[in-house]
Amino acid sequence: DIQMTQSPSSLSASVGDRVTITCRASQGISNSLAWYQQKPGKAPKLLLYAASRLESGVPSRFSGSGSGTDYTLTISSLQPEDFATYYCQQYYSTPPWTFGQGTKVEIK
Amino acid sequence: QVQLVESGGGVVQPGGSLRLSCAASGFTFSSYGMHWVRQAPGKGLEWVAFIRYDGSNKYYADSVKGRFTISRDNSKNTLYLQMNSLRAEDTAVYYCAKDCVPIVAMYYFDYWGQGTLVTVSS
């Protein structure tokens, strides 16, 4: 199984900050990576897929990059509605589909 | 618009059984693979099970293999998860999720239901 490791586990940031979250796979996943946002008490929401493709309706301040085993999610200018937990997920080698442990973005 | 509505959660004793349902609308249900994903209280996301669009293949996480069964009724646009021999560690919110591409895909999940809480406790 492919293990996904996110860092950091949590971070504090202010509105307007640039935020970067990293996701590392235990083996190469050829950009078969999705990012989800989850707010408390809500279902996860798809943000990006294929590592860098923005899902329809997602603000352009979200972007993704990476290759091989290392990927990043960047929020260019953090907005109040972006405070949430973010998960990466690989779909290169399934089953199983595996998620990172999550990164909680909190208000500084 | 796509809607996924889970039901069937509740409190059950260890060793008991429960069947979850996920009613789908707003897309051609019979063309898409479907997943169950769970989230224990305060924890991250864990994929549980997948069923192909036509029910021909099913896959399970090792943690539930032999105890849980995923199924679907395409005539009713409904996904199911039969959970037997439940354990305390199965306590979680259970989400159904839709695969992103029809027929052959086993990729990422583009829509999720709101979840249903299963609590296993004596």
Side-chain angles (χ1 to χ4, degrees):
Chain A
D1 298 357
I2 296 178
Q3 310 303 317
M4 306 300 292
T5 305
Q6 283 181 238
S7 60
S9 296
S10 64
L11 64 90
S12 296
S14 301
V15 172
D17 284 354
R18 181 182 182 88
V19 168
T20 298
I21 298 168
T22 297
C23 181
R24 174 165 288 175
S26 58
Q27 64 187 75
I29 57 171
S30 295
N31 289 1
S32 297
L33 184 88
W35 289 97
Y36 301 89
Q37 175 194 65
Q38 187 180 34
K39 295 182 180 179
K42 301 294 187 182
K45 172 189 172 184
L46 176 67
L47 296 178
L48 296 107
Y49 60 95
S52 61
R53 297 191 177 185
L54 208 61
E55 174 71 349
S56 175
V58 174
S60 58
R61 62 180 180 273
F62 291 93
S63 63
S65 65
S67 63
T69 61
D70 296 329
Y71 299 86
T72 60
L73 170 69
T74 299
I75 309 172
S76 59
S77 178
L78 198 66
Q79 298 302 299
E81 60 267 31
D82 300 337
F83 291 96
T85 301
Y86 294 84
Y87 294 92
C88 62
Q89 176 214 15
Q90 69 83 21
Y91 51 95
Y92 175 74
S93 176
T94 60
W97 286 257
T98 47
F99 295 89
Q101 80 278 17
T103 296
K104 187 174 184 179
V105 177
E106 298 176 299
I107 302 172
K108 181 182 280 186
Chain B
Q1 71 282 21
V2 172
Q3 278 202 308
L4 299 169
V5 180
E6 300 94 337
S7 60
V11 180
V12 61
Q13 292 188 339
S17 298
L18 212 55
R19 188 176 86 153
L20 307 183
S21 299
C22 170
S25 61
F27 66 103
T28 305
F29 179 73
S30 59
S31 295
Y32 288 84
M34 295 293 296
H35 301 261
W36 287 99
V37 178
R38 69 184 180 183
Q39 186 170 37
K43 302 297 184 182
L45 301 170
E46 179 189 17
W47 170 79
V48 172
F50 168 79
I51 185 168
R52 283 198 185 272
Y53 69 101
D54 58 357
S56 59
N57 290 93
K58 305 172 185 181
Y59 303 104
Y60 300 93
D62 287 345
S63 57
V64 307
K65 203 171 293 182
R67 301 187 299 123
F68 290 12
T69 302
I70 189 172
S71 62
R72 64 191 298 158
D73 186 338
N74 285 346
S75 68
K76 295 182 177 179
N77 289 350
T78 304
L79 175 73
Y80 302 100
L81 185 68
Q82 177 67 43
M83 303 186 296
N84 298 332
S85 303
L86 282 161
R87 307 166 179 167
E89 54 265 36
D90 296 319
T91 294
V93 174
Y94 285 74
Y95 297 99
C96 62
K98 170 185 167 289
D99 210 278
C100 58
V101 175
I103 308 300
V104 297
M106 288 169 57
Y107 296 155
Y108 53 92
F109 314 153
D110 58 355
Y111 289 94
W112 300 60
Q114 86 289 349
T116 187
L117 176 62
V118 173
T119 303
V120 184
S121 174
S122 54

